[in-house]
Amino acid sequence: VQQQRAAEQARRDSILLERLKYPAWAVKTNLLLWGVVAPNIEVEIPLGRNNRWSLEAEYFAPWFTWSKNAHAHQFHNVGLELRCWLGQRKYHPWLHGWHIGLAVAAGYYDWEWKKSEGYQGEYINTYLNIGYQHRWGRHWGLDATVGFGAMTTKYRHYYGGSVYPDNHLEPWDEHLIWHDTGNYLWPGPCHAALSIVYFFNNWPFRFKSKKL
């Protein structure tokens, strides 16, 4: 029993030493967004020294057109999330375990998937995230999250193409033709991520480790 206690204490001391020595800021990329051809990057940094809070910023910007501009997949999205890490954090590695977060994101889109018909607009997305982040060794990890909240957007519905006197549309967009404007509110699942994580165990500036 004493040997087990000593081994457990040694494990906790090693975790504490690692946690104090390495502030562990992280760079991530969301594999789910890559699945819909959306290049993206996320950065997460710890806040304070109690291993309880962190701040994550995300950005993705697919900006593609094809079929002579008759189809568009264009987004600019910027988001921030304040995370609270759950459980006993004293002997827990940085940025590892269960977390909940409050997030807000905003952006612009041009989404044209039908033949010469699409939507442009701006949106705001607010949601509560819950997830788990696992670390493999000193540098690699995986972060899985899902968020529920509400997204609101003001959109402009348009037709695109070249209009001829007989009012038919050609399948390429020389200009956009406004059709109507509206607002839309989506309550429910608003975010999902399965992100590969790389941890940097030192800040890009000089950092003095806290002594045990």
Side-chain angles (χ1 to χ4, degrees):
V1 175
Q2 291 181 349
Q3 291 180 346
Q4 291 179 350
R5 289 179 177 176
E8 177 63 20
Q9 186 61 45
R11 185 188 70 84
R12 291 186 174 186
D13 289 344
S14 66
I15 291 176
L16 181 59
L17 178 62
E18 288 291 307
R19 184 172 70 83
L20 294 174
K21 186 177 180 181
Y22 302 113
W25 65 288
V27 174
K28 314 177 185 182
T29 188
N30 186 348
L31 300 180
L32 300 183
L33 289 176
W34 282 106
V36 292
V37 198
N40 67 95
I41 188 171
E42 306 165 31
V43 176
E44 185 173 13
I45 60 173
L47 299 178
R49 292 181 176 270
N50 62 2
N51 197 17
R52 179 66 66 183
W53 300 92
S54 67
L55 183 67
E56 179 175 291
E58 69 169 355
Y59 177 70
F60 65 84
W63 203 256
F64 309 114
T65 61
W66 65 97
S67 298
K68 298 181 180 179
N69 290 331
H71 297 282
H73 177 53
Q74 299 181 334
F75 287 83
H76 275 300
N77 179 90
V78 177
L80 285 175
E81 178 184 352
L82 179 64
R83 284 185 172 180
C84 177
W85 294 84
L86 306 179
Q88 172 55 258
R89 304 305 303 176
K90 183 177 180 180
Y91 296 108
H92 220 291
W94 287 94
L95 305 182
H96 173 92
W98 288 98
H99 55 79
I100 58 174
L102 182 62
V104 60
Y108 167 84
Y109 61 90
D110 184 355
W111 180 241
E112 184 179 347
W113 68 97
K114 297 180 180 180
K115 186 176 180 180
S116 294
E117 181 180 358
Y119 294 85
Q120 292 179 346
E122 301 79 34
Y123 64 88
I124 297 178
N125 190 14
T126 56
Y127 51 92
L128 183 68
N129 244 350
I130 184 169
Y132 186 85
Q133 184 159 280
H134 181 74
R135 294 186 64 172
W136 290 305
R138 292 179 60 186
H139 291 291
W140 293 99
L142 186 69
D143 186 18
T145 63
V146 62
F148 296 88
M151 181 182 70
T152 179
T153 178
K154 182 177 181 180
Y155 64 85
R156 295 170 293 280
H157 181 199
Y158 67 83
Y159 293 108
S162 298
V163 182
Y164 284 78
D166 60 359
N167 291 325
H168 80 275
L169 295 176
E170 293 295 333
W172 57 79
D173 289 356
E174 293 185 359
H175 53 269
L176 305 181
I177 307 166
W178 173 83
H179 184 265
D180 60 76
T181 301
N183 295 281
Y184 183 74
L185 173 66
W186 165 260
C190 293
H191 180 262
L194 182 63
S195 300
I196 293 292
V197 187
Y198 186 86
F199 296 98
F200 291 88
N201 294 317
N202 287 291
W203 293 100
F205 49 83
R206 189 173 181 179
F207 181 85
K208 185 177 181 180
S209 300
K210 182 179 178 181
K211 294 183 179 179
L212 290 176

